[in-house]
Amino acid sequence: MLLMEKVAMLTRQNVPFALAMIIESKGSTPRHVGKMIVYRDGTIEGTVGGGMSEHYVIEESVKAIRNGQSKIVEYKLNTHAKDGIDMICGGTLRVFIEVYTSRPELVLVGAGHLGSALAKLADYLQYPYCIVDDRVGYCTRERFLNATNLFVNEDIGVALLAVNLNERSNVVIVTKDCDDIALKTVLQYPCAYVGMVASKRKIINVFEKLKSEGVTQEQLDQIHSPIGLDIGSETTEEIAISIIGEIIKVSSENKTLRVKQVNR
């Protein structure tokens, strides 16, 4: 597989990585043209010339992935030059490190009108998403053509157990009448975001029911409800925008927190 074909495949799979590309070389350098995929763990595909300069590029690429920011790095391949690295080539090398960050992964629990609007918005933003519902007639490939997966079971909790819920999952609960079951199941996992569409009265009732079933206040505090940014949304499509907007906001805040922890 060609390197750029691999880049396209990784992008579709929503895998974070960096693409390091030589953008300028002067004098004697290991290579004048080269591209290299760098993964979060430092493994690579391709090359920008090998040797000590490539070692430094890999290190900088891993840092860039963690920070979620692209950058340009420059190296003097001369051990005797000021700020030079331990090489004897004598030339200089500039490399652009382009970071491909993962997009929010949406788990849309509920295939009704709002679930459909959220899916259409996710399609536009090219966010991967799956659909979970307890109604076979609603959760169909015809209605959700681009969903990565459809999970259907008459017990919504059982359907959710089939989803690979993890720290990258952004769960939006918009079920017909089984929000409590969906929430209780989802809260067993370390999801990036959990939101539920509900009125204030419904929130109180659902939370009290979950507390009586052993769900802790700490777990309930993770839930975004009322859901979405306060933008005065009224239509189904506007509510979908407010929800995705809140997920983007939370995702950005979590990324900033992770960067601070890494650089601490």
Side-chain angles (χ1 to χ4, degrees):
M1 181 182 295
L2 297 176
L3 196 70
M4 295 312 293
E5 290 178 350
K6 187 61 177 287
V7 168
M9 185 187 78
L10 292 172
T11 302
R12 288 194 300 271
Q13 294 175 343
N14 206 28
V15 175
F17 67 97
L19 179 65
M21 300 170 285
I22 296 174
I23 57 174
E24 184 180 11
S25 64
K26 296 179 180 179
S28 178
T29 61
R31 292 190 69 166
H32 295 286
V33 177
K35 296 178 182 177
M36 176 176 69
I37 293 172
V38 183
Y39 297 98
R40 187 187 294 271
D41 63 358
T43 56
I44 64 171
E45 293 187 50
T47 182
V48 289
M52 188 58 68
S53 59
E54 183 165 287
H55 170 74
Y56 282 122
V57 170
I58 293 170
E59 281 191 341
E60 289 299 322
S61 296
V62 171
K63 290 178 185 177
I65 294 169
R66 289 174 179 168
N67 292 334
Q69 294 180 330
S70 302
K71 63 169 69 172
I72 294 175
V73 294
E74 182 172 333
Y75 302 104
K76 298 176 182 177
L77 313 185
N78 186 342
T79 189
H80 301 295
K82 182 181 179 181
D83 299 325
I85 62 176
D86 190 16
M87 295 182 72
I88 60 174
C89 300
T92 60
L93 193 69
R94 296 182 78 218
V95 177
F96 175 48
I97 299 172
E98 183 177 10
V99 174
Y100 290 73
T101 57
S102 58
R103 295 151 291 165
E105 295 182 357
L106 307 181
V107 180
L108 306 180
V109 188
H113 296 303
L114 184 52
S116 178
L118 285 162
K120 289 176 182 176
L121 185 54
D123 286 338
Y124 178 77
L125 295 170
Q126 297 185 331
Y127 286 179
Y129 65 93
C130 68
I131 304 293
V132 184
D133 204 279
D134 58 345
R135 299 165 292 178
V136 176
Y138 276 73
C139 193
T140 65
R141 184 57 64 184
E142 289 73 24
R143 296 188 70 228
F144 300 100
L145 181 63
N146 298 311
T148 56
N149 271 302
L150 303 174
F151 300 94
V152 190
N153 192 290
E154 61 183 13
D155 184 332
I156 200 79
V158 173
L160 275 164
L161 290 176
V163 181
N164 179 28
L165 293 172
N166 55 63
E167 65 280 354
R168 293 168 61 185
S169 301
N170 293 271
V171 183
V172 180
I173 297 175
V174 288
T175 73
K176 177 171 63 70
D177 55 11
C178 47
D179 291 347
D180 56 330
I181 300 172
L183 271 179
K184 188 174 182 180
T185 306
V186 168
L187 290 175
Q188 299 175 42
Y189 300 89
C191 299
Y193 173 96
V194 179
M196 179 180 70
V197 174
S199 64
K200 291 182 179 179
R201 180 180 295 276
K202 182 177 180 180
I203 293 168
I204 293 171
N205 292 338
V206 170
F207 280 21
E208 288 301 320
K209 184 175 187 297
L210 292 178
K211 281 182 181 180
S212 70
E213 295 174 356
V215 176
T216 67
Q217 185 61 49
E218 184 179 5
Q219 288 176 300
L220 294 175
D221 289 341
Q222 300 173 32
I223 303 166
H224 294 262
S225 193
I227 196 172
L229 298 177
D230 185 5
I231 58 174
S233 51
E234 294 183 1
T235 68
T236 301
E237 290 74 18
E238 289 171 347
I239 294 169
I241 289 171
S242 75
I243 292 171
I244 297 295
E246 184 171 65
I247 290 173
I248 293 171
K249 181 174 182 288
V250 171
S251 178
S252 178
E253 290 170 348
N254 289 341
K255 185 186 296 182
T256 300
L257 179 60
R258 287 195 298 271
V259 170
K260 287 180 179 179
Q261 290 172 338
V262 168
N263 295 331
R264 184 173 296 168

